[in-house]
């Protein structure tokens, strides 16, 4: 059963919307055939039209349905940015449809098509053509012109063939209303698909910008620490060289000062790196809640506020929360996430991060994030378990023995 549903669960939200939209437009082809392609056969059964003409009309509707479905598929490819806009195909479909509609009107004029059959064929072909053409456009003004143009062209053709004015008005109003409805539905579908993909791309860019901002912050901190010290070291080294050439004893004093500054710089760099590598558990929990909520997920954090943890335990668990949050954002299509911290007075500490929308099969090769977390927890005799637990859920559980929670403690 999981294999049957995995093809859907493993897709992102944007891919699911695209699949649903494509399925809807493919269903339009079936709907066109059932709604209008069977009309000539019904009329032939009643004797109102010859059977060869009825079969020919049905074949034309069938070909037209396939052609509009193909045009819609290419237009959706253009909407998501995987193909160029199918301009030539759209023009060819519009011209062919106009020619077929004109042929049906001529048959109506000559009496080969009854009055009840011709409007269904002409209106049906024009209606579904309007929807496919609108998908090839990105401006609302252009979309709303498609249906009036077809309605005006149909009314003019009916009058030019000498058919009654009332019939021309009926063609115009009918094609205008059905075309506007189809244009609105198809235009909204294309716009929605573009917006979903843009939001998905924006979320990826947001994650990349967050990483770049953190790198810039670390670079600024390192520059502030090392910039001045390196400049002083360079000046004092140059001074020591000049004094040594003159065999002045002050050269030794300057080199001792260079050594002191170098050691001080080394200590300051360690402080910067230590602050960068350590993670505060409370800050990470709140940050995870904010990031996942901003990404549109239902994030619930359940933590024991009364438990106190040692700094090294907080740092290790903070990194677990940070890595788990990153994995939730990057992998799968989660809609809900639970972060649960259980820290009893006696017994082991447990941190669980569980989310839905996880793919059945992980994409790509396993990264080094979980391996790094296991190394951090191993220092505290802790363990880390991560993997799917069924129903599209993924669970990450970190455990630290109770003996590691004793000693000097601070509030989490």
């Amino acid at each position: 059963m999981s294999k049957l549903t995995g093809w859907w669960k493993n897709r992102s939200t944007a891919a699911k919307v695209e699949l649903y939209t494509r399925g809807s437009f493919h269903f339009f082809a079936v709907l066109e055939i059932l709604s209008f392609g069977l009309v000539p056969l019904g009329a032939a059964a009643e004797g109102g039209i010859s059977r060869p003409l009825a079969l020919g009309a049905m074949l034309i509707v069938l070909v037209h349905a396939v052609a509009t479905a193909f045009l819609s598929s290419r237009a959706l490819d253009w909407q998501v940015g995987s193909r160029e806009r199918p301009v030539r195909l759209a023009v060819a479909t519009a011209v062919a449809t106009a020619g077929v509609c004109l042929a049906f009107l001529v048959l109506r004029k000559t009496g080969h098509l009854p009055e009840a059959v011709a409007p269904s064929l002409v209106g049906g072909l024009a209606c579904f053509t309007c929807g496919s053409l609108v998908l090839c456009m990105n401006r609302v003004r252009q979309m709303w012109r498609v249906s009036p143009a077809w309605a005006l062209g149909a009314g003019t053709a009916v009058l030019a063939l000498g058919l009654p004015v009332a019939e021309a008005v009926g063609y115009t109003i009918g094609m205008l209303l059905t075309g506007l409805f189809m244009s609105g539905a198809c235009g909204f579908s294309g716009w929605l698909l573009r917006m979903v993909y843009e939001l998905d791309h924006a979320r990826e860019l947001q994650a990349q910008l967050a990483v770049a901002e953190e790198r810039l912050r670390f670079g600024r901190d390192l520059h502030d620490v090392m910039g001045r010290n390196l400049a002083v070291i360079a000046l004092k080294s140059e001074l020591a060289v000049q004094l040594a050439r003159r065999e002045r004893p002050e050269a030794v004093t300057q080199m001792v000062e260079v050594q002191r500054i170098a050691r001080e710089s080394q200590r300051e760099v360690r402080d910067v790196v230590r602050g960068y590598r350590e993670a505060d558990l409370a800050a990470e929990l709140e940050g995870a809640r904010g990031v996942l909520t901003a990404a549109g997920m239902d994030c619930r954090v359940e933590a024991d506020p009364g438990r106190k943890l040692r700094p090294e335990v907080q740092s290790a668990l903070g990194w677990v929360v940070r890595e788990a949050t990153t994995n939730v954002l990057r992998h799968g299509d989660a809609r809900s996430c639970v972060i649960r911290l259980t820290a009893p007075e006696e017994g082991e500490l447990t941190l669980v991060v569980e989310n839905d929308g996880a793919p059945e099969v992980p994409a790509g090769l396993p990264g080094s994030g979980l391996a790094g977390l296991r190394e951090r927890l191993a220092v505290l005799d802790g363990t880390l378990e991560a993997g799917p637990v069924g129903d599209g859920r993924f669970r990450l559980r970190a455990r630290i023995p109770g003996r590691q929670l004793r000693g000097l403690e601070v509030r989490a």
Side-chain angles (χ1 to χ4, degrees), residues 69-405:
F70 183 72
L71 175 60
S72 299
S73 179
R74 289 299 181 91
L76 290 176
D77 291 339
W78 168 67
Q79 294 280 2
V80 300
S82 59
R83 287 180 182 269
E84 296 183 355
R85 179 155 52 176
V87 178
R88 295 181 179 179
L89 183 60
V91 172
T93 302
V95 172
T97 303
V100 171
C101 290
L102 182 60
F104 283 148
L105 291 176
V106 172
L107 292 175
R108 165 72 184 94
K109 171 65 177 178
T110 58
H112 293 86
L113 282 179
E115 184 178 354
V117 176
S120 298
L121 294 175
V122 175
L125 296 180
C127 172
F128 286 97
T129 301
C130 286
S132 299
L133 294 179
V134 164
L135 277 179
C136 301
M137 303 175 181
N138 55 5
R139 295 183 180 179
V140 178
R141 293 182 179 179
Q142 297 176 349
M143 296 179 183
W144 291 119
R145 293 172 182 172
V146 175
S147 180
W150 279 94
L152 182 61
T156 303
V158 171
L159 291 177
L161 292 174
L163 294 173
V165 177
E167 191 170 344
V169 173
Y171 273 101
T172 302
I173 296 177
M175 293 181 64
L176 179 63
L177 295 179
T178 56
L180 286 176
F181 173 78
M182 185 62 69
S183 298
C186 296
F188 176 77
S189 298
W191 172 83
L192 179 62
L193 185 60
R194 289 199 308 272
M195 291 302 102
V196 170
Y197 267 99
E198 288 181 6
L199 288 175
D200 187 68
H201 183 60
R203 187 172 70 173
E204 294 180 358
L205 289 179
Q206 184 179 12
Q208 295 175 5
L209 288 175
V211 174
E213 183 178 358
E214 181 64 16
R215 290 175 177 174
L216 288 175
R217 185 197 66 80
F218 181 70
R220 288 194 301 268
D221 292 345
L222 193 61
H223 177 270
D224 293 340
V225 170
M226 296 298 297
R228 179 184 62 85
N229 291 346
L230 289 177
V232 174
I233 289 175
L235 290 175
K236 288 186 172 295
S237 299
E238 184 178 356
L239 178 59
V241 170
Q242 297 296 332
L243 293 174
R245 288 176 178 175
R246 299 174 185 176
E247 297 182 356
R248 299 283 297 274
E250 292 87 350
V252 177
T253 304
Q254 294 298 326
M255 290 308 300
V256 170
E257 184 68 12
V258 168
Q259 187 180 32
R260 184 191 64 81
I261 297 175
R263 289 176 178 175
E264 182 179 352
S265 301
Q266 188 178 25
R267 179 183 56 80
E268 291 178 352
V269 169
R270 287 199 187 102
D271 293 338
V272 172
V273 174
R274 185 182 300 111
Y276 177 74
R277 293 178 63 85
E278 289 182 354
D280 180 71
L281 179 57
E284 292 299 331
L285 288 174
E286 190 61 31
R289 188 208 308 269
V291 170
L292 296 179
T293 302
M297 303 180 197
D298 180 17
C299 181
R300 188 171 74 255
V301 177
E302 302 174 359
D304 182 4
R307 182 59 171 169
K308 298 179 180 180
L309 303 176
R310 295 161 53 191
E312 55 268 30
V313 175
Q314 284 199 64
S315 179
L317 293 179
W319 273 100
V320 172
V321 174
R322 182 183 298 183
E323 181 67 23
T325 303
T326 303
N327 290 339
V328 171
L329 289 173
R330 289 182 177 177
H331 308 298
D333 185 25
R335 294 185 297 271
S336 64
C337 180
V338 177
I339 303 176
R340 184 180 299 107
L341 175 64
T342 305
E345 293 296 334
E346 297 295 335
E348 68 177 9
L349 179 146
T350 304
L351 175 66
V352 176
V353 181
E354 183 172 338
N355 62 277
D356 63 355
E360 296 292 338
V361 180
L365 297 175
S368 59
L370 296 181
L373 294 181
R374 289 189 174 94
E375 293 177 358
R376 291 177 182 273
L377 292 173
V379 177
L380 302 171
D381 297 332
T383 59
L384 181 71
E385 302 173 1
V389 292
D391 295 333
R393 304 192 68 82
F394 188 90
R395 180 182 301 161
L396 183 145
R397 179 187 288 112
R399 292 189 177 97
I400 297 179
R403 62 179 181 274
Q404 294 290 343
L405 307 179

